[in-house]
Amino acid sequence: MDYFERFAIPHPSPAIYASMVAIGFTVIALIFVLTYFKLWGYLWREWLTTVDHKKIGIMYLISAIVMLFRGGADAIMMRAQMAVPNNTLLDAQHYNEIFTTHGTVMIIFMAMPFIMAFMNFIVPLQIGARDVAFPRLNALSFWLFFMGAMLLNISFVIGGSPDAGWTNYFPLADNEFSPSVGTNYYLFALQISGLGTLMTGINMIVTILRMRAPGMTLMKMPMFTWSAFIANVIIVFAFPVLTVALTMGTFDRLFATKFFTTTDGGMDMLWANFFWVWGHPEVYILILPAFGIYSEIISTFSKRNLYGYKSMVGSMVIISFLSFLVWTHHFFTMGQGALTNSIFSITTMAIAVPTGVKIFNWLFTLWKGNIEFTTPMLYSMLFIPTFTIGGVTGVMLGMSAADYQYHNTMFLVAHFHMVIIPGVVFAMLAGLHYYWPKMFGFMLNEKIGKITAWVIAIGTLLTFMPMFFSGLDGQARRMYTYTESTGFGIWNMISFIGAIGFTIGFMLIVYNVYYSIRYSPRNIGMDPWDARTLEWATPNPVPFYNFAKQPHVNSVETFWDSKNNGHELFPEPYEDIHMPSNSGMPFILACIFFAWGFSFVFSMWIPAILSTIGIFICMALRSLEKDPGYYVTVKEIKETEKKLRGVQ
Amino acid sequence: MKVDQSLPLEYSTEQNKNNILGFWVFLGAEIMLFGTLFAAYFVLADRTGSGPTGVEIFQITPVLIETFILLTSSFTIGLGINAMRKGNLKAMITFYVITLLLGLSFLGVEIYEFVHYAHIGAAITVSAFTSTLLTTLGTHGAHVTFGLVWGILIVYQLIKRGLTPETANKSFIFSLYWHFLDVVWIFIFSFVYLKGMI
């Protein structure tokens, strides 16, 4: 039994035992449902083995929403604990675990897959491609991300959660101060999903550079594709830094190397530097595609072309470059001296310039536009002012001298939530409403959608504005409680009320999905929003081969031109379409990666070696395999198209 | 599949072109990976704690042997690609096998070097310097090992399937990878060993 003791949780509580039971029942219920309705074969054929970028996009979307609720549950527990002074709902250790997993889940396993969902689903359609450049690699990317997410999510019931913050600073994260296996989970979950992200980066870059429809030059790409391209370039250059940092951290914990130790020459600040050399570009990996979605939505619902297309592209290129030159601003107070701090202050504030250019471009797109307030547009309009609050407080934090006052306070917490929530979460929800008909063939209810948007926006302000005040007053972040005499009580109570508002908002989204599945009309045609770009030139939902004929592009808004200016979008005759075959290999390989990570987390060397060998066997089999794909004949295409377009 | 006869075999289909560009992008990521390792090495090289310094442990002989072997293997794989372009499968396979044998002997010397370090009290756990030194060298060595297995699979496919757009594409990409490992070694030789011996 000694062997199994390692799986026990070091710091149990009734809530965790309840979660164990709940997880157990959910798994049993899932297995039962799948068996009862005989869905195992369907699941394997249609989803687990798929290499279709659209289905992979939908799987990313579902994972992101599930993780949103996991991270949201963490958030509401934190706000509940902080709502009143000297609260005993959570103890210090649980609070540590919860803010750690909240941050990790929300950034790596919620925001990233949400972005990936839209990149996967939309980019090939926007550029008129049949799929991504490497469809099978794309499936592997998804499954690696998914297994990484699962690995982190089982941590709190098997072995213990990570508790060193999502930044995982050493020496706190070293064995001495974090003795549970939680930090190992963090290191391996991020490593595995990071590999997947890197593969997506390569895949998307090649897709966008090599697979655009005839006539689509780089400067005729839709803005979302541009933003996805830049974000993926950042991925390729930022993620290897994380890979190395995580490897070094892993070696320190498992093999007693001396990278980040405080003895034998180790340097703990090296971790902080590496982490943020990845971490800051990561912020822009999230925000640039979000900006791309806003650009699409604002242009569509202003019935105007996007103002300042070239300056939009230029500002994104500048942001991507500057994003690698600001990492030190995350730790101005950690002793690198006035000169270094000054340089990084200037680069930090410089980023506000191209970001400002983008904000003004959106405003000028609205100017004299014929604005239509749909739900996606409402999110975009709520984004601009709230994001600006987050942005200007970011400039405040960027001034290194002043940062000594703000550092590690709730002011910082308020700042980054006020940029990430309006910047990324609103964009994802806007994109969800905007692209829902494209993905599923019906619209989400507009009325519920608009109410939700207001509830979430007010929830955001109510939750995070008070933190600016309590933070300036000196409330430190990551402290699990405070005394009544500090006077922070009222601010934290308002925050808690805001967090409840958030919860109601997300419940409304679930209700909206349910309501729309039941009552939304299905005969919406292919262009329900009167949109402007190529993805709307396909039927809803999109057939598996995307475009029946090769589209030809004449401008940034080629679909708009085909509707209104007589551009002929599909001048070519039907041709047989080459499609990649499905494969179970990505899923199986990712499962082995899961076993690999799990074995290392618990230092179980024999399974670790076996799974390592398994990984290499999978790769060798892939190398030896012949994968010619198959052809869809013209007859099949015509029949499918007739069926899909017949409903209009 | 459309095969464009005017291009070299490895570039002759759309998928082949995608594969080659994709691999170049991957090499970009690899540059960042090794760049990060070098950055760590420069930061930690003088932080030897109570362990030995670079001057004390580096030996020029095995390092020079490793360098000559690896540089030669980069040349022979170039000859292999040249043979591939001329359609001479037999010469190509020969050069690839020579490359892999050189890779194997490089690895042998490197393993000897690692054992030697462990023997003289410079194991990976001793200090920040030895940790970063052996991780940097080890990452390169792991890449070579991976390349050996990959190369064997490619030679096997060349023998079995001959020169097709796919096998030519795989062989070409493998040569890019091998050259890249050589470039990394030049940096290791200059900035780890030579700099460390002064």
Side-chain angles (χ1 to χ4, degrees):
Chain A
M1 281 309 283
D2 281 354
Y3 189 77
F4 291 100
E5 260 171 32
R6 68 181 80 194
F7 300 127
I9 316 157
H11 195 77
S13 79
I16 289 179
Y17 289 129
S19 311
M20 278 185 192
V21 175
I23 290 171
F25 276 123
T26 313
V27 171
I28 293 167
L30 268 178
I31 292 173
F32 178 76
V33 168
L34 286 170
T35 314
Y36 187 80
F37 292 102
K38 300 192 171 68
L39 289 174
W40 286 104
Y42 165 80
L43 186 69
W44 177 259
R45 280 191 309 274
E46 297 293 321
W47 297 98
L48 299 186
T49 61
T50 189
V51 293
D52 182 341
H53 72 97
K54 298 178 289 297
K55 283 184 176 167
I56 291 170
I58 288 171
M59 289 194 287
Y60 268 120
L61 185 70
I62 295 168
S63 318
I65 291 171
V66 171
M67 287 296 113
L68 179 70
F69 285 98
R70 157 80 215 256
D74 287 341
I76 198 86
M77 279 194 276
M78 277 194 281
R79 287 333 307 165
Q81 160 66 20
M82 299 303 281
V84 288
N86 296 321
N87 199 357
T88 53
L89 183 69
L90 301 169
D91 60 23
Q93 175 63 22
H94 275 144
Y95 194 77
N96 289 348
E97 292 174 6
I98 285 168
F99 74 66
T100 302
T101 49
H102 169 75
T104 315
V105 165
M106 284 300 202
I107 296 285
I108 309 285
F109 300 123
M110 186 284 283
M112 285 299 277
F114 233 133
I115 299 279
M116 295 290 176
F118 291 118
M119 287 202 295
N120 263 289
F121 201 99
I122 301 304
V123 167
L125 293 173
Q126 273 197 337
I127 62 174
R130 291 270 149 69
D131 207 316
V132 291
F134 312 112
R136 200 186 281 198
L137 191 69
N138 199 25
L140 181 60
S141 291
F142 170 73
W143 288 112
L144 285 178
F145 145 75
F146 182 82
M147 292 302 166
M150 289 303 105
L151 198 59
L152 191 87
N153 275 281
I154 61 164
S155 66
F156 80 113
V157 289
I158 306 174
S161 271
D163 56 0
W166 88 279
T167 49
N168 205 48
Y169 278 172
F170 284 79
L172 175 63
D174 221 332
N175 286 331
E176 189 184 353
F177 302 107
S178 298
S180 88
V181 294
T183 305
N184 296 351
Y185 269 117
Y186 169 96
L187 294 165
F188 279 93
L190 261 64
Q191 190 70 281
I192 291 171
S193 63
L195 281 175
T197 308
L198 178 63
M199 290 174 197
T200 301
I202 295 169
N203 211 339
M204 284 286 157
I205 289 176
V206 178
T207 306
I208 294 171
L209 284 181
R210 296 243 339 121
M211 298 180 77
R212 298 189 308 275
M216 186 181 279
T217 58
L218 281 177
M219 291 310 271
K220 281 180 188 163
M221 292 198 305
M223 193 47 66
F224 177 64
T225 299
W226 253 117
S227 67
F229 177 65
I230 306 243
N232 282 297
V233 171
I234 304 178
I235 284 177
V236 167
F237 287 101
F239 267 77
V241 182
L242 180 71
T243 306
V244 171
L246 291 171
T247 307
M248 289 175 170
T250 308
F251 277 21
D252 267 12
R253 286 182 58 89
L254 296 184
F255 308 125
T257 55
K258 301 292 186 296
F259 289 107
F260 309 130
T261 54
T262 46
T263 55
D264 295 319
M267 191 192 255
D268 45 4
M269 279 309 290
L270 191 62
W271 167 270
N273 277 280
F274 280 164
F275 184 85
W276 288 113
V277 169
W278 161 78
H280 201 87
E282 164 70 14
V283 175
Y284 289 93
I285 294 167
L286 299 177
I287 204 86
L288 289 179
F291 284 174
I293 286 177
Y294 285 132
S295 301
E296 299 291 340
I297 288 170
I298 288 174
S299 158
T300 299
F301 296 114
S302 304
K303 293 277 164 287
R304 281 200 54 190
N305 60 331
L306 188 66
Y307 183 91
Y309 178 90
K310 283 178 187 164
S311 64
M312 275 303 205
V313 174
S315 58
M316 282 196 294
V317 174
I318 294 169
I319 288 175
S320 71
F321 179 69
L322 286 177
S323 72
F324 281 92
L325 299 175
V326 298
W327 77 89
T328 302
H329 73 210
H330 293 273
F331 42 87
F332 276 144
T333 58
M334 295 194 199
Q336 46 277 321
L339 179 66
T340 310
N341 278 357
S342 307
I343 291 167
F344 281 92
S345 276
I346 291 165
T347 53
T348 301
M349 287 186 273
I351 285 198
V353 177
T355 315
V357 168
K358 296 182 78 71
I359 299 267
F360 280 107
N361 278 338
W362 290 316
L363 294 177
F364 284 126
T365 308
L366 294 165
W367 179 254
K368 290 189 178 168
N370 188 2
I371 299 172
E372 186 188 351
F373 265 102
T374 58
T375 309
M377 188 62 166
L378 183 59
Y379 274 114
S380 311
M381 293 301 96
L382 291 167
F383 146 75
I384 294 178
T386 35
F387 180 81
T388 306
I389 298 173
V392 292
T393 50
V395 178
M396 289 170 73
L397 283 153
M399 294 184 275
S400 60
D403 185 63
Y404 279 75
Q405 176 66 29
Y406 314 131
H407 186 79
N408 243 6
T409 65
M410 294 307 275
F411 187 89
L412 169 76
V413 176
H415 153 70
F416 68 70
H417 282 93
M418 287 293 287
V419 282
I420 290 181
I421 291 178
V424 181
V425 179
F426 285 16
M428 294 304 107
L429 298 176
L432 191 72
H433 283 266
Y434 186 61
Y435 285 120
W436 191 272
K438 187 93 283 180
M439 289 173 159
F440 301 105
F442 60 93
M443 318 251 302
L444 288 175
N445 185 282
E446 275 291 293
K447 196 174 168 193
I448 306 173
K450 282 179 200 167
I451 295 170
T452 314
W454 280 109
V455 170
I456 288 184
I458 293 167
T460 308
L461 290 169
L462 214 53
T463 313
F464 297 108
M465 290 307 279
M467 295 183 190
F468 283 120
F469 300 103
S470 69
L472 278 181
D473 236 6
Q475 188 188 1
R477 70 192 287 215
R478 293 174 171 175
M479 296 296 287
Y480 81 107
T481 193
Y482 52 90
T483 60
E484 201 172 349
S485 59
T486 54
F488 302 149
I490 179 67
W491 300 122
N492 284 285
M493 182 47 90
I494 298 172
S495 267
F496 179 56
I497 294 166
I500 292 172
F502 251 117
T503 316
I504 295 169
F506 288 112
M507 291 302 156
L508 280 172
I509 291 174
V510 176
Y511 176 68
N512 195 353
V513 171
Y514 163 77
Y515 182 90
S516 306
I517 288 174
R518 284 197 67 163
Y519 302 112
S520 223
R522 296 308 198 259
N523 55 341
I524 50 167
M526 62 185 212
D527 183 24
W529 302 114
D530 194 15
R532 310 175 80 83
T533 41
L534 203 51
E535 73 269 30
W536 298 100
T538 55
N540 291 323
V542 191
F544 63 97
Y545 49 75
N546 291 359
F547 294 91
K549 299 178 194 172
Q550 173 80 69
H552 278 237
V553 175
N554 68 328
S555 72
V556 176
E557 300 175 313
T558 193
F559 182 55
W560 182 261
D561 285 348
S562 77
K563 286 190 292 187
N564 300 311
N565 301 332
H567 167 62
E568 200 189 350
L569 205 48
F570 300 108
E572 290 181 27
Y574 283 109
E575 272 181 10
D576 288 356
I577 297 173
H578 180 251
M579 296 296 294
S581 319
N582 282 3
S583 166
M585 189 67 93
F587 178 70
I588 294 167
L589 180 53
C591 287
I592 301 176
F593 258 103
F594 180 87
W596 177 82
F598 189 80
S599 318
F600 272 104
V601 165
F602 289 97
S603 311
M604 301 184 293
W605 304 120
I606 293 166
I609 292 165
L610 289 178
S611 46
T612 309
I613 294 170
I615 290 168
F616 284 108
I617 289 175
C618 281
M619 290 166 84
L621 289 175
R622 171 72 181 111
S623 171
L624 295 171
E625 187 188 341
K626 280 185 178 169
D627 178 25
Y630 66 97
Y631 280 91
V632 190
T633 60
V634 171
K635 192 165 154 267
E636 282 173 74
I637 301 167
K638 279 185 176 162
E639 276 168 16
T640 318
E641 287 293 303
K642 202 176 157 195
K643 212 166 71 190
L644 286 170
R645 290 178 193 259
V647 292
Q648 285 175 48
Chain B
M1 191 188 313
K2 280 176 231 154
V3 179
D4 185 347
Q5 302 297 350
S6 65
L7 290 167
L9 210 48
E10 69 270 21
Y11 281 100
S12 57
T13 66
E14 286 301 309
Q15 188 63 48
N16 277 5
K17 289 180 202 166
N18 286 354
N19 291 350
I20 291 172
L21 177 64
F23 199 79
W24 276 111
V25 179
F26 171 73
L27 288 184
E30 287 275 68
I31 289 172
M32 282 307 290
L33 184 101
F34 280 102
T36 312
L37 285 168
F38 277 113
Y41 182 78
F42 295 148
V43 169
L44 300 175
D46 295 328
R47 300 172 71 96
T48 52
S50 52
T53 62
V55 184
E56 287 163 23
I57 62 168
F58 290 148
Q59 298 172 295
I60 193 71
T61 320
V63 174
L64 271 181
I65 295 171
E66 285 168 287
T67 307
F68 285 130
I69 291 174
L70 208 60
L71 289 183
T72 314
S73 79
S74 207
F75 178 64
T76 53
I77 201 163
L79 292 174
I81 292 298
N82 189 42
M84 180 179 91
R85 288 270 170 86
K86 289 179 171 167
N88 189 343
L89 181 63
K90 211 175 156 191
M92 180 191 175
I93 290 171
T94 314
F95 283 123
Y96 266 64
V97 170
I98 294 172
T99 306
L100 294 176
L101 287 175
L102 288 168
L104 191 66
S105 21
F106 168 86
L107 207 62
V109 182
E110 187 159 54
I111 289 168
Y112 158 78
E113 197 192 332
F114 272 39
V115 172
H116 172 73
Y117 288 148
H119 200 67
I120 58 169
I124 196 165
T125 54
V126 169
S127 69
F129 162 67
T130 60
S131 296
T132 181
L133 171 74
L134 294 173
T135 304
T136 308
L137 296 178
T139 306
H140 179 266
H143 275 76
V144 174
T145 315
F146 182 84
L148 287 178
V149 178
W150 183 12
I152 291 167
L153 288 170
I154 282 174
V155 170
Y156 170 78
Q157 289 176 49
L158 282 172
I159 294 168
K160 198 123 193 244
R161 296 174 195 166
L163 268 182
T164 66
E166 282 86 35
T167 53
N169 188 242
K170 286 179 180 183
S171 312
F172 181 75
I173 287 172
F174 177 71
S175 80
L176 294 180
Y177 179 78
W178 201 262
H179 287 306
F180 173 75
L181 294 186
D182 206 33
V183 173
V184 173
W185 183 260
I186 290 169
F187 278 85
I188 289 179
F189 181 74
S190 315
F191 295 109
V192 175
Y193 290 114
L194 288 189
K195 191 170 155 284
M197 283 181 207
I198 306 165

